[in-house]
Short mmCIF file of all heavy atoms in Angstrom, two decimals:
data_model
loop_
_atom_site.label_atom_id
_atom_site.label_comp_id
_atom_site.label_asym_id
_atom_site.label_seq_id
_atom_site.Cartn_x
_atom_site.Cartn_y
_atom_site.Cartn_z
N MET Y 1 96.75 19.62 11.33
CA MET Y 1 95.50 19.27 10.58
C MET Y 1 94.75 20.53 10.31
O MET Y 1 93.50 20.56 10.45
CB MET Y 1 94.67 18.35 11.50
CG MET Y 1 94.71 16.90 11.07
SD MET Y 1 93.98 15.79 12.21
CE MET Y 1 92.23 16.06 11.78
N SER Y 2 95.41 21.55 9.83
CA SER Y 2 94.69 22.81 9.48
C SER Y 2 94.56 22.95 8.04
O SER Y 2 94.16 24.02 7.56
CB SER Y 2 95.43 23.96 10.14
OG SER Y 2 96.73 23.96 9.71
N GLN Y 3 94.85 21.87 7.33
CA GLN Y 3 94.77 21.97 5.90
C GLN Y 3 93.26 21.90 5.49
O GLN Y 3 92.67 20.86 5.70
CB GLN Y 3 95.52 20.82 5.25
CG GLN Y 3 95.75 21.20 3.73
CD GLN Y 3 96.66 20.16 3.17
OE1 GLN Y 3 96.74 19.00 3.60
NE2 GLN Y 3 97.41 20.51 2.06
N GLN Y 4 92.70 22.96 5.06
CA GLN Y 4 91.30 22.93 4.74
C GLN Y 4 91.05 22.30 3.37
O GLN Y 4 91.66 22.71 2.43
CB GLN Y 4 90.79 24.41 4.80
CG GLN Y 4 90.57 24.84 6.21
CD GLN Y 4 89.68 26.10 6.22
OE1 GLN Y 4 89.77 26.86 5.31
NE2 GLN Y 4 88.97 26.32 7.23
N GLN Y 5 90.08 21.47 3.34
CA GLN Y 5 89.74 20.87 2.12
C GLN Y 5 88.41 21.31 1.74
O GLN Y 5 87.44 21.52 2.57
CB GLN Y 5 89.76 19.36 2.22
CG GLN Y 5 91.21 18.82 2.15
CD GLN Y 5 91.16 17.25 2.00
OE1 GLN Y 5 90.44 16.58 2.74
NE2 GLN Y 5 92.03 16.76 1.20
N SER Y 6 88.12 21.58 0.50
CA SER Y 6 86.81 22.01 0.05
C SER Y 6 86.25 20.97 -0.85
O SER Y 6 87.08 20.16 -1.51
CB SER Y 6 86.90 23.34 -0.65
OG SER Y 6 87.82 23.35 -1.64
N LYS Y 7 85.04 20.92 -1.06
CA LYS Y 7 84.45 19.85 -2.00
C LYS Y 7 84.22 20.51 -3.33
O LYS Y 7 83.79 21.64 -3.46
CB LYS Y 7 83.09 19.41 -1.41
CG LYS Y 7 83.27 18.33 -0.39
CD LYS Y 7 81.95 17.80 -0.01
CE LYS Y 7 82.07 16.60 1.00
NZ LYS Y 7 80.72 16.08 1.45
N CYS Y 8 84.52 19.77 -4.30
CA CYS Y 8 84.31 20.10 -5.66
C CYS Y 8 82.72 20.37 -5.89
O CYS Y 8 81.96 19.48 -5.50
CB CYS Y 8 84.73 19.09 -6.69
SG CYS Y 8 84.18 19.42 -8.35
N PRO Y 9 82.39 21.55 -6.23
CA PRO Y 9 80.93 21.79 -6.34
C PRO Y 9 80.22 20.96 -7.38
O PRO Y 9 79.02 20.91 -7.39
CB PRO Y 9 80.88 23.32 -6.72
CG PRO Y 9 82.25 23.76 -6.98
CD PRO Y 9 83.19 22.68 -6.62
N ILE Y 10 80.99 20.37 -8.25
CA ILE Y 10 80.36 19.60 -9.33
C ILE Y 10 80.16 18.10 -8.84
O ILE Y 10 79.11 17.59 -8.89
CB ILE Y 10 81.20 19.62 -10.58
CG1 ILE Y 10 81.30 21.08 -11.04
CG2 ILE Y 10 80.58 18.74 -11.67
CD1 ILE Y 10 79.94 21.73 -11.34
N CYS Y 11 81.29 17.53 -8.48
CA CYS Y 11 81.20 16.12 -8.22
C CYS Y 11 81.38 15.80 -6.75
O CYS Y 11 81.19 14.59 -6.30
CB CYS Y 11 82.23 15.33 -9.01
SG CYS Y 11 83.88 15.65 -8.62
N GLY Y 12 81.73 16.71 -5.95
CA GLY Y 12 81.82 16.50 -4.44
C GLY Y 12 83.18 15.88 -3.98
O GLY Y 12 83.26 15.53 -2.84
N THR Y 13 84.05 15.78 -4.85
CA THR Y 13 85.37 15.29 -4.53
C THR Y 13 86.07 16.25 -3.69
O THR Y 13 86.04 17.43 -3.89
CB THR Y 13 86.18 14.95 -5.81
OG1 THR Y 13 85.56 13.96 -6.63
CG2 THR Y 13 87.62 14.45 -5.46
N LEU Y 14 86.83 15.80 -2.65
CA LEU Y 14 87.50 16.67 -1.76
C LEU Y 14 88.75 17.20 -2.54
O LEU Y 14 89.49 16.47 -3.14
CB LEU Y 14 88.05 15.90 -0.57
CG LEU Y 14 87.03 15.66 0.57
CD1 LEU Y 14 87.57 14.86 1.69
CD2 LEU Y 14 86.53 17.04 1.09
N VAL Y 15 88.81 18.53 -2.43
CA VAL Y 15 89.88 19.28 -3.18
C VAL Y 15 90.79 19.98 -2.19
O VAL Y 15 90.35 20.62 -1.27
CB VAL Y 15 89.33 20.32 -4.16
CG1 VAL Y 15 90.39 20.93 -4.95
CG2 VAL Y 15 88.29 19.68 -5.14
N THR Y 16 92.10 19.67 -2.32
CA THR Y 16 93.00 20.36 -1.42
C THR Y 16 93.39 21.71 -2.16
O THR Y 16 93.96 21.65 -3.23
CB THR Y 16 94.24 19.52 -1.17
OG1 THR Y 16 93.86 18.34 -0.64
CG2 THR Y 16 95.14 20.26 -0.32
N PRO Y 17 93.06 22.83 -1.51
CA PRO Y 17 93.35 24.10 -2.11
C PRO Y 17 94.90 24.34 -2.20
O PRO Y 17 95.52 24.48 -1.19
CB PRO Y 17 92.67 25.14 -1.29
CG PRO Y 17 92.43 24.43 0.03
CD PRO Y 17 92.37 22.97 -0.21
N SER Y 18 95.41 24.33 -3.36
CA SER Y 18 96.80 24.64 -3.50
C SER Y 18 97.06 25.19 -4.83
O SER Y 18 96.27 25.09 -5.76
CB SER Y 18 97.65 23.30 -3.33
OG SER Y 18 97.55 22.60 -4.56
N THR Y 19 98.11 25.81 -4.96
CA THR Y 19 98.43 26.58 -6.21
C THR Y 19 98.75 25.51 -7.34
O THR Y 19 98.85 25.85 -8.45
CB THR Y 19 99.64 27.52 -6.03
OG1 THR Y 19 100.63 26.87 -5.39
CG2 THR Y 19 99.19 28.75 -5.27
N ASP Y 20 98.87 24.24 -6.79
CA ASP Y 20 99.10 23.17 -7.75
C ASP Y 20 97.97 22.87 -8.59
O ASP Y 20 98.02 22.31 -9.67
CB ASP Y 20 99.51 21.93 -6.97
CG ASP Y 20 100.99 21.63 -7.09
OD1 ASP Y 20 101.72 22.52 -7.68
OD2 ASP Y 20 101.50 20.64 -6.62
N ASN Y 21 96.71 23.27 -8.02
CA ASN Y 21 95.53 22.92 -8.71
C ASN Y 21 94.92 24.14 -9.36
O ASN Y 21 94.33 25.02 -8.77
CB ASN Y 21 94.55 22.37 -7.66
CG ASN Y 21 93.24 21.98 -8.27
OD1 ASN Y 21 93.13 22.05 -9.49
ND2 ASN Y 21 92.19 21.71 -7.52
N PRO Y 22 95.14 24.33 -10.63
CA PRO Y 22 94.65 25.45 -11.37
C PRO Y 22 93.20 25.43 -11.53
O PRO Y 22 92.64 26.48 -11.97
CB PRO Y 22 95.34 25.31 -12.78
CG PRO Y 22 95.62 23.90 -12.97
CD PRO Y 22 95.75 23.28 -11.54
N ALA Y 23 92.51 24.31 -11.20
CA ALA Y 23 91.07 24.23 -11.43
C ALA Y 23 90.29 24.56 -10.18
O ALA Y 23 89.16 24.29 -10.10
CB ALA Y 23 90.76 22.82 -11.97
N ARG Y 24 91.04 25.06 -9.13
CA ARG Y 24 90.28 25.35 -7.90
C ARG Y 24 89.08 26.25 -8.20
O ARG Y 24 89.14 27.13 -9.12
CB ARG Y 24 91.25 26.11 -6.96
CG ARG Y 24 92.21 25.24 -6.32
CD ARG Y 24 93.21 26.05 -5.53
NE ARG Y 24 93.82 27.17 -6.37
CZ ARG Y 24 94.31 28.28 -5.96
NH1 ARG Y 24 94.36 28.50 -4.64
NH2 ARG Y 24 94.89 29.13 -6.75
N PRO Y 25 88.00 26.09 -7.48
CA PRO Y 25 87.79 25.20 -6.32
C PRO Y 25 87.28 23.86 -6.84
O PRO Y 25 86.82 23.07 -6.06
CB PRO Y 25 86.74 25.91 -5.54
CG PRO Y 25 85.84 26.58 -6.56
CD PRO Y 25 86.88 26.99 -7.69
N PHE Y 26 87.48 23.59 -8.08
CA PHE Y 26 87.01 22.35 -8.64
C PHE Y 26 88.15 21.36 -8.56
O PHE Y 26 89.23 21.66 -8.41
CB PHE Y 26 86.52 22.48 -10.12
CG PHE Y 26 85.53 23.55 -10.27
CD1 PHE Y 26 85.95 24.77 -10.74
CD2 PHE Y 26 84.20 23.31 -10.01
CE1 PHE Y 26 84.92 25.85 -10.82
CE2 PHE Y 26 83.30 24.31 -10.10
CZ PHE Y 26 83.63 25.59 -10.49
N CYS Y 27 87.78 20.05 -8.64
CA CYS Y 27 88.74 18.97 -8.46
C CYS Y 27 89.58 18.87 -9.79
O CYS Y 27 90.74 18.44 -9.72
CB CYS Y 27 88.08 17.64 -8.17
SG CYS Y 27 87.12 16.99 -9.48
N SER Y 28 89.03 19.19 -10.87
CA SER Y 28 89.74 19.04 -12.13
C SER Y 28 89.20 20.01 -13.12
O SER Y 28 88.18 20.68 -12.93
CB SER Y 28 89.62 17.65 -12.67
OG SER Y 28 88.23 17.41 -12.95
N GLN Y 29 89.94 20.16 -14.19
CA GLN Y 29 89.51 21.04 -15.27
C GLN Y 29 88.17 20.66 -15.84
O GLN Y 29 87.45 21.43 -16.32
CB GLN Y 29 90.56 21.14 -16.37
CG GLN Y 29 91.57 22.23 -16.08
CD GLN Y 29 92.30 22.61 -17.30
OE1 GLN Y 29 92.80 21.67 -18.05
NE2 GLN Y 29 92.48 23.86 -17.67
N ARG Y 30 87.96 19.33 -15.77
CA ARG Y 30 86.73 18.82 -16.36
C ARG Y 30 85.49 19.35 -15.64
O ARG Y 30 84.58 19.92 -16.26
CB ARG Y 30 86.71 17.31 -16.28
CG ARG Y 30 85.43 16.76 -16.79
CD ARG Y 30 85.36 15.25 -16.61
NE ARG Y 30 86.12 14.58 -17.65
CZ ARG Y 30 86.20 13.21 -17.72
NH1 ARG Y 30 85.49 12.47 -16.89
NH2 ARG Y 30 86.92 12.64 -18.63
N CYS Y 31 85.60 19.31 -14.29
CA CYS Y 31 84.42 19.82 -13.49
C CYS Y 31 84.35 21.37 -13.67
O CYS Y 31 83.32 21.90 -13.68
CB CYS Y 31 84.70 19.56 -12.04
SG CYS Y 31 84.28 17.77 -11.71
N GLN Y 32 85.54 22.00 -13.87
CA GLN Y 32 85.55 23.47 -14.09
C GLN Y 32 84.75 23.77 -15.37
O GLN Y 32 83.96 24.68 -15.32
CB GLN Y 32 86.96 23.90 -14.12
CG GLN Y 32 87.04 25.50 -14.09
CD GLN Y 32 88.54 25.91 -14.16
OE1 GLN Y 32 89.38 25.20 -14.74
NE2 GLN Y 32 88.85 27.00 -13.50
N LEU Y 33 85.09 23.03 -16.36
CA LEU Y 33 84.35 23.23 -17.58
C LEU Y 33 82.86 22.93 -17.56
O LEU Y 33 82.06 23.64 -18.12
CB LEU Y 33 84.93 22.36 -18.72
CG LEU Y 33 86.36 22.87 -19.19
CD1 LEU Y 33 86.97 21.84 -20.18
CD2 LEU Y 33 86.25 24.24 -19.83
N ILE Y 34 82.53 21.88 -16.75
CA ILE Y 34 81.12 21.55 -16.67
C ILE Y 34 80.37 22.72 -15.96
O ILE Y 34 79.30 23.14 -16.37
CB ILE Y 34 80.95 20.28 -15.73
CG1 ILE Y 34 81.50 19.09 -16.56
CG2 ILE Y 34 79.55 20.15 -15.33
CD1 ILE Y 34 81.47 17.74 -15.72
N ASP Y 35 81.04 23.31 -14.92
CA ASP Y 35 80.41 24.38 -14.19
C ASP Y 35 80.31 25.59 -15.18
O ASP Y 35 79.28 26.28 -15.20
CB ASP Y 35 81.24 24.76 -13.04
CG ASP Y 35 80.53 25.80 -12.18
OD1 ASP Y 35 79.62 25.47 -11.45
OD2 ASP Y 35 80.95 26.99 -12.22
N LEU Y 36 81.30 25.79 -15.97
CA LEU Y 36 81.27 26.98 -16.82
C LEU Y 36 80.16 26.76 -17.82
O LEU Y 36 79.39 27.69 -18.14
CB LEU Y 36 82.62 27.09 -17.51
CG LEU Y 36 82.83 28.35 -18.38
CD1 LEU Y 36 82.88 29.58 -17.52
CD2 LEU Y 36 84.06 28.17 -19.27
N GLY Y 37 80.07 25.56 -18.34
CA GLY Y 37 78.95 25.30 -19.31
C GLY Y 37 77.63 25.54 -18.72
O GLY Y 37 76.69 26.07 -19.35
N ASP Y 38 77.49 25.05 -17.45
CA ASP Y 38 76.16 25.22 -16.76
C ASP Y 38 75.86 26.71 -16.70
O ASP Y 38 74.75 27.11 -16.92
CB ASP Y 38 76.34 24.70 -15.30
CG ASP Y 38 75.73 23.29 -15.29
OD1 ASP Y 38 75.44 22.72 -16.28
OD2 ASP Y 38 75.50 22.86 -14.14
N TRP Y 39 76.93 27.45 -16.35
CA TRP Y 39 76.62 28.93 -16.11
C TRP Y 39 76.28 29.51 -17.40
O TRP Y 39 75.30 30.32 -17.53
CB TRP Y 39 77.94 29.50 -15.57
CG TRP Y 39 77.82 30.85 -15.09
CD1 TRP Y 39 77.21 31.28 -13.92
CD2 TRP Y 39 78.21 32.13 -15.78
NE1 TRP Y 39 77.28 32.64 -13.88
CE2 TRP Y 39 77.88 33.15 -14.92
CE3 TRP Y 39 78.84 32.32 -16.96
CZ2 TRP Y 39 78.18 34.42 -15.29
CZ3 TRP Y 39 79.03 33.68 -17.28
CH2 TRP Y 39 78.73 34.70 -16.50
N ILE Y 40 76.97 29.18 -18.51
CA ILE Y 40 76.65 29.79 -19.78
C ILE Y 40 75.25 29.39 -20.17
O ILE Y 40 74.42 30.19 -20.71
CB ILE Y 40 77.65 29.37 -20.80
CG1 ILE Y 40 78.98 30.08 -20.54
CG2 ILE Y 40 77.20 29.71 -22.26
CD1 ILE Y 40 80.12 29.58 -21.45
N ASP Y 41 74.91 28.08 -19.92
CA ASP Y 41 73.59 27.58 -20.25
C ASP Y 41 72.52 28.45 -19.52
O ASP Y 41 71.49 28.72 -20.20
CB ASP Y 41 73.52 26.15 -19.80
CG ASP Y 41 72.67 25.37 -20.91
OD1 ASP Y 41 72.81 25.62 -22.11
OD2 ASP Y 41 71.94 24.46 -20.42
N GLU Y 42 72.72 28.68 -18.34
CA GLU Y 42 71.80 29.42 -17.55
C GLU Y 42 71.60 30.85 -18.12
O GLU Y 42 70.47 31.32 -18.16
CB GLU Y 42 72.21 29.51 -16.08
CG GLU Y 42 71.44 28.65 -15.10
CD GLU Y 42 71.97 28.67 -13.75
OE1 GLU Y 42 71.85 29.89 -13.17
OE2 GLU Y 42 72.41 27.73 -13.23
N ARG Y 43 72.68 31.36 -18.44
CA ARG Y 43 72.61 32.78 -19.04
C ARG Y 43 71.83 32.78 -20.29
O ARG Y 43 71.05 33.72 -20.60
CB ARG Y 43 74.06 33.24 -19.35
CG ARG Y 43 74.64 34.06 -18.22
CD ARG Y 43 75.85 34.73 -18.65
NE ARG Y 43 75.66 35.89 -19.56
CZ ARG Y 43 76.46 36.77 -19.93
NH1 ARG Y 43 77.73 36.61 -19.50
NH2 ARG Y 43 76.18 37.75 -20.71
N HIS Y 44 71.99 31.72 -21.08
CA HIS Y 44 71.27 31.66 -22.39
C HIS Y 44 69.80 31.28 -22.23
O HIS Y 44 68.97 31.64 -23.00
CB HIS Y 44 71.91 30.58 -23.25
CG HIS Y 44 73.12 31.09 -23.99
ND1 HIS Y 44 73.18 31.32 -25.30
CD2 HIS Y 44 74.32 31.55 -23.56
CE1 HIS Y 44 74.36 31.81 -25.66
NE2 HIS Y 44 75.08 31.97 -24.57
N SER Y 45 69.48 30.74 -21.04
CA SER Y 45 68.07 30.32 -20.87
C SER Y 45 67.25 31.46 -20.26
O SER Y 45 66.12 31.26 -19.96
CB SER Y 45 68.08 29.05 -19.97
OG SER Y 45 68.48 29.31 -18.72
N ILE Y 46 67.91 32.55 -19.93
CA ILE Y 46 67.16 33.63 -19.37
C ILE Y 46 66.21 34.24 -20.53
O ILE Y 46 66.68 34.54 -21.56
CB ILE Y 46 68.15 34.82 -18.93
CG1 ILE Y 46 68.90 34.36 -17.61
CG2 ILE Y 46 67.40 36.12 -18.65
CD1 ILE Y 46 69.89 35.28 -17.10
N PRO Y 47 64.98 34.29 -20.19
CA PRO Y 47 63.95 34.75 -21.13
C PRO Y 47 64.26 36.20 -21.46
O PRO Y 47 64.72 37.00 -20.65
CB PRO Y 47 62.68 34.61 -20.45
CG PRO Y 47 62.94 34.45 -18.98
CD PRO Y 47 64.39 33.95 -18.84
N GLY Y 48 63.88 36.61 -22.66
CA GLY Y 48 64.02 37.91 -23.08
C GLY Y 48 63.20 38.91 -22.36
O GLY Y 48 62.70 38.59 -21.22
N ASP Y 49 62.83 39.95 -22.98
CA ASP Y 49 62.03 40.95 -22.16
C ASP Y 49 60.61 40.59 -22.28
O ASP Y 49 59.91 40.63 -23.34
CB ASP Y 49 62.20 42.37 -22.77
CG ASP Y 49 62.25 42.44 -24.22
OD1 ASP Y 49 63.13 41.77 -24.92
OD2 ASP Y 49 61.37 43.07 -24.77
N GLU Y 50 60.07 40.02 -21.19
CA GLU Y 50 58.74 39.71 -21.11
C GLU Y 50 57.92 40.79 -20.45
O GLU Y 50 56.75 40.62 -19.99
CB GLU Y 50 58.58 38.34 -20.29
CG GLU Y 50 58.96 37.14 -21.13
CD GLU Y 50 58.18 35.89 -20.68
OE1 GLU Y 50 57.05 35.96 -20.38
OE2 GLU Y 50 58.91 34.81 -20.48
N SER Y 51 58.50 41.89 -20.33
CA SER Y 51 57.85 43.04 -19.74
C SER Y 51 56.76 43.62 -20.63
O SER Y 51 55.87 44.36 -20.20
CB SER Y 51 58.89 44.16 -19.28
OG SER Y 51 59.70 44.39 -20.47
N ALA Y 52 56.87 43.29 -21.90
CA ALA Y 52 55.94 43.80 -22.82
C ALA Y 52 55.16 42.62 -23.48
O ALA Y 52 55.49 42.22 -24.60
CB ALA Y 52 56.58 44.67 -23.88
N PRO Y 53 54.15 42.06 -22.77
CA PRO Y 53 53.39 40.95 -23.34
C PRO Y 53 52.46 41.41 -24.42
O PRO Y 53 52.07 42.53 -24.47
CB PRO Y 53 52.54 40.49 -22.08
CG PRO Y 53 52.50 41.65 -21.18
CD PRO Y 53 53.72 42.49 -21.41
N TRP Y 54 52.27 40.44 -25.32
CA TRP Y 54 51.47 40.79 -26.49
C TRP Y 54 50.01 41.09 -26.01
O TRP Y 54 49.40 40.31 -25.31
CB TRP Y 54 51.48 39.65 -27.41
CG TRP Y 54 50.81 40.02 -28.74
CD1 TRP Y 54 49.58 39.66 -29.03
CD2 TRP Y 54 51.40 40.59 -29.81
NE1 TRP Y 54 49.25 40.16 -30.30
CE2 TRP Y 54 50.42 40.70 -30.79
CE3 TRP Y 54 52.61 41.14 -30.08
CZ2 TRP Y 54 50.57 41.37 -32.03
CZ3 TRP Y 54 52.89 41.81 -31.30
CH2 TRP Y 54 51.84 41.87 -32.25
N PRO Y 55 49.43 42.19 -26.35
CA PRO Y 55 48.05 42.42 -25.89
C PRO Y 55 47.06 41.47 -26.63
O PRO Y 55 47.01 41.45 -27.83
CB PRO Y 55 47.80 43.90 -26.33
CG PRO Y 55 48.88 44.14 -27.44
CD PRO Y 55 50.03 43.23 -27.12
N PRO Y 56 46.45 40.59 -25.83
CA PRO Y 56 45.51 39.64 -26.39
C PRO Y 56 44.19 40.20 -26.79
O PRO Y 56 43.44 39.56 -27.45
CB PRO Y 56 45.36 38.60 -25.22
CG PRO Y 56 45.60 39.45 -23.98
CD PRO Y 56 46.46 40.61 -24.39
N ASP Y 57 43.89 41.38 -26.30
CA ASP Y 57 42.57 41.90 -26.65
C ASP Y 57 42.65 42.64 -27.99
O ASP Y 57 42.87 43.79 -28.10
CB ASP Y 57 42.16 42.90 -25.53
CG ASP Y 57 43.13 44.04 -25.28
OD1 ASP Y 57 44.30 43.69 -25.05
OD2 ASP Y 57 42.78 45.14 -25.32
N SER Y 58 42.42 41.84 -29.07
CA SER Y 58 42.35 42.46 -30.36
C SER Y 58 40.81 42.44 -30.84
O SER Y 58 39.96 42.01 -30.04
CB SER Y 58 43.17 41.64 -31.35
OG SER Y 58 42.89 40.29 -31.21
N ASP Y 59 40.60 42.83 -31.96
CA ASP Y 59 39.24 42.86 -32.42
C ASP Y 59 38.72 41.57 -32.96
O ASP Y 59 37.98 41.49 -33.97
CB ASP Y 59 39.07 44.00 -33.38
CG ASP Y 59 40.08 44.04 -34.45
OD1 ASP Y 59 41.14 43.24 -34.33
OD2 ASP Y 59 40.00 44.84 -35.35
N VAL Y 60 39.22 40.47 -32.43
CA VAL Y 60 38.88 39.16 -32.84
C VAL Y 60 37.48 38.81 -32.36
O VAL Y 60 36.66 38.24 -33.10
CB VAL Y 60 39.90 38.07 -32.38
CG1 VAL Y 60 39.40 36.70 -32.74
CG2 VAL Y 60 41.28 38.37 -32.97
N THR Y 61 37.26 39.20 -31.16
CA THR Y 61 35.92 38.92 -30.56
C THR Y 61 34.81 39.71 -31.29
O THR Y 61 33.69 39.30 -31.27
CB THR Y 61 35.88 39.25 -29.04
OG1 THR Y 61 36.52 40.49 -28.80
CG2 THR Y 61 36.65 38.18 -28.26
N ASP Y 62 35.28 40.83 -31.77
CA ASP Y 62 34.32 41.66 -32.48
C ASP Y 62 34.08 41.16 -33.99
O ASP Y 62 34.53 41.83 -34.89
CB ASP Y 62 34.79 43.16 -32.46
CG ASP Y 62 33.63 44.08 -32.61
OD1 ASP Y 62 32.67 44.06 -31.83
OD2 ASP Y 62 33.67 44.93 -33.54
N SER Y 63 33.58 40.03 -34.08
CA SER Y 63 33.44 39.44 -35.38
C SER Y 63 32.35 40.12 -36.18
O SER Y 63 31.69 41.02 -35.68
CB SER Y 63 33.06 37.94 -35.25
OG SER Y 63 31.97 37.84 -34.36
N ASP Y 64 32.10 39.68 -37.35
CA ASP Y 64 31.21 40.35 -38.25
C ASP Y 64 29.76 39.83 -37.98
O ASP Y 64 28.98 39.75 -38.82
CB ASP Y 64 31.54 40.13 -39.69
CG ASP Y 64 32.02 38.74 -39.94
OD1 ASP Y 64 32.14 37.99 -38.97
OD2 ASP Y 64 32.10 38.37 -41.10
N ASP Y 65 29.56 39.41 -36.68
CA ASP Y 65 28.25 38.97 -36.28
C ASP Y 65 27.47 40.25 -35.85
O ASP Y 65 26.98 40.36 -34.70
CB ASP Y 65 28.42 38.04 -35.08
CG ASP Y 65 27.07 37.23 -34.98
OD1 ASP Y 65 26.13 37.77 -34.26
OD2 ASP Y 65 26.97 36.10 -35.42
N HIS Y 66 27.20 41.00 -36.76
CA HIS Y 66 26.53 42.33 -36.39
C HIS Y 66 25.12 42.09 -35.96
O HIS Y 66 24.27 42.10 -36.70
CB HIS Y 66 26.63 43.29 -37.58
CG HIS Y 66 26.85 44.68 -37.14
ND1 HIS Y 66 26.04 45.26 -36.24
CD2 HIS Y 66 27.72 45.57 -37.52
CE1 HIS Y 66 26.46 46.52 -36.03
NE2 HIS Y 66 27.50 46.72 -36.79
ZN1 LIG Q 101 84.92 17.53 -9.52
#
């Protein structure tokens, strides 16, 4: 009983690690693709460079109310 089974990170199905399963550690290629899609989605949702915020202090407050 030393056969280690891992759970598919996507659906939780027990996966027997074997070279028979090209989708390891996922249970199937479908879950593999789901995970890949998730990963790509995350990469795309990373915000751009917010290190340079737009300076809100413009001369708007300095109206022509002289
Ligand atoms: Zn799965």
Side-chain angles (χ1 to χ4, degrees):
M1 260 172 74
S2 57
Q3 197 174 27
Q4 283 194 332
Q5 285 189 314
S6 52
K7 277 188 178 178
C8 171
I10 300 299
C11 66
T13 300
L14 279 176
V15 182
T16 305
S18 81
T19 47
D20 254 6
N21 180 10
R24 285 174 304 159
F26 308 98
C27 68
S28 63
Q29 266 196 316
R30 178 185 283 186
C31 283
Q32 192 177 29
L33 286 176
I34 290 174
D35 186 74
L36 187 70
D38 260 14
W39 191 76
I40 289 174
D41 216 39
E42 254 177 62
R43 266 190 73 170
H44 276 248
S45 66
I46 287 177
D49 45 297
E50 284 206 44
S51 48
W54 188 264
D57 56 307
S58 49
D59 45 353
V60 172
T61 46
D62 204 55
S63 52
D64 44 350
D65 196 277
H66 214 309

